[in-house]
Amino acid sequence: MISIQGKGVSTGVAVGPLYFYRRAKSEITRAAVADTEAEWARFKAAQEKAIAELNALAEKARAEAGDEAAMLFETHAMMVEDMDYEEAIEAGIKESSLNAEAAVSDAGEMQAAAFAAMDDDYFKARAADVKDISTRLIGILSGAVAGGIDSDVPVVLASDDLAPSETVQLDKSKILGFVTSGGSGSSHTAILARTMGIPAIIGVGDKLKTEYEGREVAIDGGTGTVAVEPDEAVRAQMLAKRAELLKRQALLNELKGKPNETKDGQRIRVYCNIGSPEDVHTVLENDGGGIGLFRSEFLYLECDDYPTEDYQFEAYKKVLSDMGDKEVVIRTLDIGADKQIDYFNLPKEENPALGNRALRICLNRPEIFKTQLRALYRASAYGHLCIMFPMVTSVWEVREAKKLCEVVKKELTAEGIPYSEDVQIGIMIETPAAAVISDRLAKEVDFFSCGTNDLTQYTLACDRQNNDLGRFFNPHHPAVIRLLKMVCDNAHKNGVWVGICGELGADLELTETFLSIGIDELSVSPRSVLPLRQKIRETDVRAVREKCIADLLSDEYRL
Ligand code: PEP
Ligand code: MG
């Protein structure tokens, strides 16, 4: 048995075979081949596999988002077999003795350049499609796997780190747990693991070796322990812990249907954070009272091109109608920093966390923002929608965003498309600037939701992605907690409700503090709803409020 210690970032125990994530190589190998017929056969097999993959993606898109979404993949499937494209590849292999990867790459470049030079906008846009199908073919040829996993049985997935775009595209039914050599507890990959309820361990360094692939591992996402080929005692101990966790879950299940009410009758709303329409069932399963944060950018991360208005509309409509009359807060696009999307073609930045991201991109590229807002307002007719803008620092940003909402509403009215008049508009408080001017911002919106992941990062000047910063990244820092109190006071003075949707919302050590300062809503990963409800129901706010508030304002608070 080999024991490895990392940092547990999503609780739970998993036992299964270890599998290393197959990432597509960004550089292709060029080589001369002797047996060109065999190379051609290798290409034909890859072509067949690409078509099968694209047809499967088209079916999935049709089921989840309708015909229009499926069309992109159907078009790609046809393009893989395009005669000119195929002939160029054949010439590369058979006449120039190129390896298939190089022949596909050259043919793709050539066709993309030809499309890009055309006058017609429709054909110009096909350049990106040709590049896309070439990348897929090269990926298949070089052994990369769509979705990163090619296994018939569920696995414990290992990787150096996983980008959010890679995590969202994983086939979740195949994953028992995550182990990464890098990563950080506040990264979006860790957040996604918690949302999916999958045990995860980060920061194991170089101790997890690729030669362990296929061996049985047992991981404990609570303690951060990884055991490769666990001995009988450790295996039994892990399985007993898993049974214990299931028992605890069964006990918590008794809290379903009960109110989030303290002993002295104070109520707080407990909502959920989700990343995709598919997460809604875990919200309902865990009795979440609503959705306090739908990270809409994950829809964009799953796509190879800008998601259309209809594609987004179907996704938002599904979440809203599945949630019935429960509140659903959908955050507008929050990309940038660790959430990078190639097709946005954003210039490389020295400090992306402080750069062109989230609402800044939306205000600079209103055509993208308007597409999302139109989809959101159209979907508002199907449920109880609240729209939330991320990364706000100034009042003018909120006013400009709200103006675009008005433009969109006017357009829909003119087009006779129904939407709800009761959509609440809110903002995230995740920059110190927004917290400090929350008195002014409160006059512009219906609600605030505090993003404590970024609020901690920006207040403490501490990169949330950097696991080495360890204890310096401290969301319990008095500066963060005092800002939360200030935001809460400013919100309530102005009749605005306030929630917390950062990971801190689920931190039971602070539940009494949040109740004492009067937070109205906590939005947490679905699995955290019932433990939080239990904590709330055990609390008597009258007994702790005065001390909690005096403590957090005192000179001694968490020095
Ligand atoms: C936050 O910053 O706290 C937040 C909820 O948003 P994200 O983690 O997606 O940046
Ligand atoms: Mg944030």
Side-chain angles (χ1 to χ4, degrees):
M1 179 179 91
I2 302 155
S3 290
I4 299 170
Q5 192 57 44
K7 182 174 168 192
V9 293
S10 179
T11 53
V13 170
V15 180
L18 188 68
Y19 185 96
F20 277 83
Y21 183 73
R22 309 284 199 265
R23 182 172 284 125
K25 288 193 201 114
S26 52
E27 277 176 22
I28 59 152
T29 9
R30 302 186 80 85
V33 288
D35 187 347
T36 55
E37 280 308 323
E39 198 61 8
W40 176 242
R42 201 163 76 83
F43 164 72
K44 290 300 283 180
Q47 184 189 44
E48 203 176 304
K49 186 149 190 246
I51 293 168
E53 274 179 20
L54 286 160
N55 285 337
L57 282 171
E59 280 322 304
K60 184 166 180 275
R62 190 182 325 283
E64 286 171 8
D67 286 345
E68 201 193 330
M71 214 158 69
L72 174 76
F73 297 113
E74 284 165 348
T75 311
H76 280 197
M78 282 191 293
M79 288 173 81
V80 173
E81 288 190 288
D82 175 79
M83 227 165 56
D84 291 341
Y85 181 58
E86 195 177 309
E87 274 174 13
I89 295 167
E90 192 172 9
I93 295 175
K94 293 190 180 166
E95 290 165 27
S96 309
S97 301
L98 283 176
N99 61 330
E101 288 88 336
V104 168
S105 169
D106 291 354
E109 288 293 330
M110 205 169 66
Q111 268 213 351
F115 275 131
M118 290 184 181
D119 286 335
D120 186 303
D121 279 348
Y122 173 81
F123 284 112
K124 259 194 201 326
R126 300 287 70 76
D129 293 323
V130 180
K131 282 191 185 155
D132 230 44
I133 56 164
S134 297
T135 306
R136 180 176 295 278
L137 281 166
I138 293 167
I140 294 171
L141 286 163
S142 57
V145 168
I149 306 178
D150 183 14
S151 165
D152 294 334
V153 293
V155 296
V156 173
L157 190 66
S159 178
D160 47 356
D161 195 4
L162 286 166
S165 57
E166 292 171 331
T167 317
V168 292
Q169 292 189 33
L170 292 170
D171 177 353
K172 290 158 204 151
S173 67
K174 290 277 171 63
I175 299 167
L176 299 166
F178 289 112
V179 185
T180 62
S181 48
S184 96
S186 312
S187 69
H188 283 93
T189 303
I191 290 171
L192 278 165
R194 287 193 283 272
T195 305
M196 298 188 276
I198 293 174
I201 296 171
I202 57 147
V204 295
D206 56 8
K207 290 181 219 100
L208 200 63
K209 305 200 183 337
T210 45
E211 68 214 50
Y212 301 157
E213 164 118 359
R215 298 193 200 171
E216 185 182 74
V217 289
I219 65 167
D220 181 341
T223 60
T225 315
V226 182
V228 182
E229 294 184 321
D231 59 32
E232 258 325 296
V234 168
R235 199 167 188 281
Q237 200 187 336
M238 291 270 200
L239 291 175
K241 181 149 183 198
R242 190 162 68 183
E244 185 57 39
L245 288 171
L246 289 173
K247 212 157 89 193
R248 185 170 138 68
Q249 184 58 44
L251 282 177
L252 285 170
N253 283 345
E254 287 173 16
L255 291 173
K256 286 185 188 172
K258 304 226 165 105
N260 304 303
E261 186 174 306
T262 62
K263 280 186 169 160
D264 52 325
Q266 180 174 323
R267 287 202 180 201
I268 184 165
R269 308 197 302 272
V270 178
Y271 288 1
C272 293
N273 295 344
I274 62 163
S276 111
E278 285 149 41
D279 296 333
V280 171
H281 78 273
T282 63
V283 175
L284 299 172
E285 226 169 75
N286 287 282
D287 203 22
I291 287 170
L293 171 64
F294 175 8
R295 291 180 162 96
S296 70
E297 60 277 8
F298 289 139
L299 284 186
Y300 290 71
L301 283 163
E302 279 172 359
C303 293
D304 297 332
D305 202 348
Y306 295 101
T308 61
E309 179 184 318
D310 278 349
Y311 180 86
Q312 294 188 58
F313 163 68
E314 294 293 345
Y316 304 146
K317 177 180 153 193
K318 179 156 178 30
V319 174
L320 285 159
S321 36
D322 285 356
M323 289 300 290
D325 56 4
K326 296 189 161 102
E327 249 169 6
V328 174
V329 179
I330 302 184
R331 169 172 82 184
T332 57
L333 182 65
D334 183 13
I335 60 158
D338 64 321
K339 289 174 283 192
Q340 293 293 337
I341 302 182
D342 288 347
Y343 59 80
F344 271 76
N345 287 322
L346 295 169
K348 216 168 157 27
E349 295 174 300
E350 285 296 323
N351 286 308
L354 303 179
N356 190 21
R357 52 173 299 198
L359 187 60
R360 295 173 185 173
I361 295 176
C362 290
L363 295 180
N364 284 339
R365 296 175 68 177
E367 70 293 351
I368 294 175
F369 197 25
K370 267 185 65 189
T371 303
Q372 180 170 40
L373 292 174
R374 280 182 61 98
L376 284 168
Y377 274 101
R378 282 173 60 194
S380 71
Y382 297 86
H384 191 163
L385 174 68
C386 308
I387 297 177
M388 175 160 80
F389 306 129
M391 268 298 283
V392 167
T393 54
S394 303
V395 169
W396 70 262
E397 296 163 349
V398 182
R399 290 191 178 155
E400 205 168 301
K402 279 171 47 186
K403 236 184 233 158
L404 281 166
C405 291
E406 290 310 312
V407 171
V408 160
K409 279 160 62 178
K410 264 204 196 106
E411 278 179 15
L412 295 180
T413 307
E415 292 164 33
I417 298 174
Y419 61 89
S420 164
E421 283 293 351
D422 298 322
V423 176
Q424 291 185 43
I425 300 282
I427 56 170
M428 293 200 61
I429 302 287
E430 51 185 349
T431 63
V436 171
I437 62 162
S438 51
D439 55 338
R440 299 202 198 165
L441 289 165
K443 301 197 168 34
E444 307 290 328
V445 294
D446 301 306
F447 68 94
F448 287 155
S449 187
C450 300
T452 48
N453 309 331
D454 277 319
L455 189 61
T456 305
Q457 149 163 278
Y458 295 127
T459 305
L460 305 183
C462 214
D463 181 0
R464 63 190 272 191
Q465 296 293 115
N466 185 346
N467 196 36
D468 295 339
L469 288 169
R471 61 204 168 114
F472 295 103
F473 186 90
N474 172 21
H476 289 199
H477 191 289
V480 178
I481 307 298
R482 285 188 188 190
L483 282 177
L484 291 178
K485 176 169 186 325
M486 182 170 139
V487 170
C488 206
D489 292 344
N490 283 333
H492 291 160
K493 266 185 223 148
N494 289 283
V496 158
W497 65 264
V498 56
I500 295 178
C501 61
E503 296 301 290
L504 203 61
D507 188 331
L508 303 183
E509 224 185 285
L510 288 172
T511 311
E512 288 184 353
T513 304
F514 296 152
L515 287 162
S516 297
I517 65 177
I519 294 283
D520 301 289
E521 176 246 19
L522 293 168
S523 190
V524 299
S525 66
R527 266 200 317 177
S528 300
V529 169
L530 295 175
L532 183 54
R533 178 170 300 166
Q534 186 179 42
K535 177 74 188 176
I536 292 163
R537 292 172 64 83
E538 284 165 5
T539 304
D540 186 341
V541 191
R542 260 176 329 194
V544 295
R545 181 180 287 121
E546 230 171 274
K547 183 169 178 330
C548 267
I549 293 181
D551 270 358
L552 81 88
L553 296 177
S554 82
D555 291 344
E556 299 303 312
Y557 184 75
R558 297 184 195 270
L559 278 178

Coordinates of all heavy atoms in Angstrom, one line a residue, residues 188 331 334 339 357 428 430 451 453-454 464, ligand 2:
H188 N -12.5 26.7 -9.2 CA -13.8 26.3 -9.7 C -13.9 24.8 -9.8 O -15.0 24.2 -9.8 CB -14.2 27.0 -11.0 CG -14.6 28.4 -10.7 ND1 -13.7 29.5 -10.7 CD2 -15.8 28.9 -10.3 CE1 -14.4 30.6 -10.4 NE2 -15.6 30.3 -10.1
R331 N -26.8 34.1 -12.6 CA -25.7 35.1 -12.7 C -25.3 35.2 -14.2 O -25.1 34.2 -14.9 CB -24.5 34.6 -11.9 CG -23.3 35.5 -12.2 CD -22.2 35.1 -11.2 NE -21.4 34.0 -11.6 CZ -20.4 33.4 -10.9 NH1 -20.1 34.0 -9.7 NH2 -19.8 32.4 -11.3
D334 N -19.7 35.1 -16.3 CA -18.6 35.5 -15.4 C -17.4 34.7 -15.9 O -16.9 33.8 -15.2 CB -18.9 35.1 -14.0 CG -17.8 35.5 -13.0 OD1 -17.0 36.3 -13.4 OD2 -17.9 35.1 -11.8
K339 N -11.5 31.0 -15.7 CA -12.5 30.4 -16.6 C -12.3 31.0 -18.0 O -12.9 32.1 -18.3 CB -13.9 30.7 -16.1 CG -14.3 29.9 -14.9 CD -15.6 30.3 -14.2 CE -15.6 31.6 -13.4 NZ -16.7 31.8 -12.6
R357 N -12.9 40.8 -17.2 CA -13.6 39.6 -16.9 C -15.1 40.0 -16.5 O -15.4 41.1 -16.3 CB -13.0 38.8 -15.8 CG -12.6 39.6 -14.5 CD -12.2 38.7 -13.4 NE -13.2 37.7 -13.0 CZ -13.2 37.1 -11.8 NH1 -12.2 37.2 -11.0 NH2 -14.2 36.2 -11.6
M428 N -23.5 40.8 -7.5 CA -22.7 40.2 -6.5 C -21.8 41.2 -5.8 O -21.3 42.2 -6.4 CB -21.8 39.2 -7.3 CG -22.6 38.1 -7.9 SD -21.6 36.6 -8.2 CE -21.0 36.1 -6.7
E430 N -18.5 41.1 -4.5 CA -17.3 40.3 -4.5 C -16.0 41.1 -4.7 O -14.9 40.5 -4.8 CB -17.4 39.1 -5.4 CG -17.7 39.5 -6.8 CD -17.9 38.3 -7.8 OE1 -17.6 37.2 -7.4 OE2 -18.4 38.5 -8.9
G451 N -20.2 37.3 -2.9 CA -19.3 36.2 -3.4 C -18.0 36.2 -2.6 O -17.0 36.9 -2.9
N453 N -15.7 34.0 -2.2 CA -14.5 33.5 -2.8 C -13.6 34.6 -3.3 O -12.5 34.7 -3.0 CB -14.8 32.5 -3.9 CG -15.8 31.4 -3.4 OD1 -15.9 31.1 -2.3 ND2 -16.6 30.9 -4.4
D454 N -14.3 35.4 -4.2 CA -13.5 36.5 -4.7 C -13.4 37.7 -3.7 O -12.3 38.3 -3.7 CB -14.2 37.1 -6.0 CG -13.9 36.2 -7.2 OD1 -12.7 35.9 -7.3 OD2 -14.8 35.9 -8.0
R464 N -6.9 33.1 -5.1 CA -7.7 31.9 -4.7 C -7.2 30.6 -5.4 O -7.6 29.5 -5.0 CB -9.2 32.2 -4.9 CG -9.5 32.3 -6.4 CD -11.0 32.8 -6.6 NE -11.9 31.7 -6.7 CZ -13.2 31.9 -7.0 NH1 -13.7 33.1 -7.3 NH2 -14.0 30.9 -7.1
Ligands
MG2 MG -16.7 35.3 -8.0

